[in-house]
Amino acid sequence: MISEEMATRINTQINREMYSAHFYLGLSAQAEGMNLKGVAAWFFAKYGEELTHAMKMYRYLIDQDAPVRLGEVAAPATVETEVLKMFESTLAHERAVTAAINDIVDFALSQKDHATHIFFQWFVTEQIEEEATVNDILGRVRLFGDQGQSLLMIDNELASLAKQMGSAAGTASTTSAA
């Protein structure tokens, strides 16, 4: 069983993951309002990923016989309706999540909580991927712009990425059910 303090920290992170889901759902809705179906689909796929992250942590607490204490999820702030601003906000958000994950890992190490340390390694790796993906998208938006044909190209690319993310999520849930 993990310590009460560790359970509290993981519960807080579950809440952060739920906030992340709301953050991405809000960006998806904004993109829908801008008629950017690919951008909206990408943010919606991110919404689903964040819920999955929260549920992994939920399951970990249950498996560790630790209490799950859900908190309120704050409404995310509205981001300016420019694709560049949306992805700049996304990168800042992911960096904050990375810092929070790293804090949990640091605490696990200080407490010699090897189980939590090992469990959170998946999230550490996931955050590297999350930030790299958003940096890549930002690079494209900065290089090509977020207007006209460039925006159409980025929207189409993000639609393809969202499909891949959906396929990967389907494969992961099928594999975990086996």
Side-chain angles (χ1 to χ4, degrees):
M1 188 167 143
I2 61 176
S3 72
E4 188 174 315
E5 175 62 23
M6 183 57 76
T8 298
R9 288 171 184 246
I10 295 171
N11 275 303
T12 299
Q13 188 61 34
I14 290 171
N15 200 61
R16 282 189 195 103
E17 299 294 333
M18 298 300 285
Y19 173 83
S20 291
H22 279 71
F23 175 76
Y24 286 123
L25 187 60
L27 289 172
S28 180
Q30 281 183 244
E32 287 278 357
M34 298 163 66
N35 291 315
L36 296 172
K37 302 298 184 193
V39 174
W42 190 86
F43 281 124
F44 193 79
K46 295 295 298 164
Y47 159 78
E49 281 186 358
E50 300 305 329
L51 290 176
T52 299
H53 297 170
M55 298 291 49
K56 282 180 184 240
M57 292 176 202
Y58 165 91
R59 176 53 45 202
Y60 180 73
L61 286 176
I62 297 293
D63 290 347
Q64 289 290 325
D65 198 27
V68 174
R69 294 191 179 97
L70 303 176
E72 284 187 46
V73 178
T78 302
V79 176
E80 290 182 52
T81 54
E82 294 174 25
V83 172
L84 179 64
K85 298 288 184 198
M86 294 166 87
F87 282 98
E88 286 173 342
S89 293
T90 297
L91 183 58
H93 176 76
E94 287 298 339
R95 286 180 173 161
V97 171
T98 298
I101 295 291
N102 288 339
D103 286 345
I104 291 172
V105 171
D106 289 345
F107 185 72
L109 286 171
S110 75
Q111 298 295 302
K112 297 183 180 180
D113 180 346
H114 302 293
T116 301
H117 177 256
I118 291 167
F119 174 75
F120 269 89
Q121 290 310 299
W122 183 89
F123 293 98
V124 170
T125 303
E126 177 72 3
Q127 284 309 119
I128 293 167
E129 181 184 314
E130 300 281 349
E131 287 187 35
T133 299
V134 177
N135 263 324
D136 186 51
I137 294 166
L138 264 173
R140 283 174 167 45
V141 173
R142 288 179 179 138
L143 180 63
F144 301 118
D146 62 355
Q147 301 294 315
Q149 288 181 329
S150 298
L151 183 55
L152 180 61
M153 178 192 72
I154 290 166
D155 191 53
N156 288 333
E157 184 178 328
L158 290 175
S160 294
L161 282 173
K163 282 184 183 177
Q164 290 173 7
M165 291 162 67
S167 295
T171 302
S173 63
T174 304
T175 307
S176 65

